[in-house]
Amino acid sequence: MKTVIAPLETTNFTEIQIDRIIEMAWEDRTPFDAIKYQFGLTEDNVKALMKKQLKFRSYKLWRERVENCKTKHVAKRADGIDRFKCTRQRAISNNKITKR
């Protein structure tokens, strides 16, 4: 049985926010919980947004990648990983790593 995903209204997000959500969704180490924490989107909402924003082939490749990725879902992650971002990363608005 196929699950039905509710249509997603992206009018609440700016282009910059949509780009950031897509970037986070493509990152292997960023779990869906981080996207939900920052933008309030569930995994199903992220899938709907990706389907709407990406070309079909890109979406299909992304879905295959997500299904095989153990770090996209917190339940599948190793026990030692308990954070959303790199410890060296500044606040999300700057998104820069400090020089050492």
Side-chain angles (χ1 to χ4, degrees):
M1 183 153 95
K2 188 175 182 180
T3 57
V4 176
I5 299 174
L8 176 68
E9 292 295 327
T10 57
T11 55
N12 299 350
F13 297 111
T14 64
E15 282 294 316
I16 294 170
Q17 289 173 322
I18 291 172
D19 287 344
R20 181 64 184 144
I21 293 166
I22 291 171
E23 181 182 358
M24 290 174 77
W26 268 106
E27 293 171 351
D28 286 339
R29 291 188 278 174
T30 304
F32 287 112
D33 289 344
I35 298 170
K36 183 173 184 175
Y37 178 78
Q38 189 170 349
F39 295 100
L41 296 175
T42 63
E43 182 177 345
D44 289 340
N45 293 140
V46 173
K47 289 176 185 176
L49 179 111
M50 295 292 276
K51 191 170 189 174
K52 183 177 180 182
Q53 296 291 324
L54 299 178
K55 291 185 269 182
F56 178 73
R57 180 69 181 143
S58 298
Y59 172 75
K60 196 170 174 184
L61 287 171
W62 174 75
R63 287 289 291 135
E64 289 175 14
R65 185 175 172 159
V66 167
E67 287 175 12
N68 296 322
C69 186
K70 290 182 170 54
T71 57
K72 285 305 273 185
H73 299 89
V74 175
K76 293 182 181 179
R77 284 184 140 192
D79 292 334
I81 302 173
D82 60 352
R83 64 188 186 287
F84 288 153
K85 64 181 182 175
C86 175
T87 57
R88 296 172 297 178
Q89 186 178 6
R90 286 187 181 175
I92 200 68
S93 60
N94 292 333
N95 230 5
K96 296 178 183 175
I97 296 177
T98 59
K99 294 181 181 179
R100 296 180 194 129

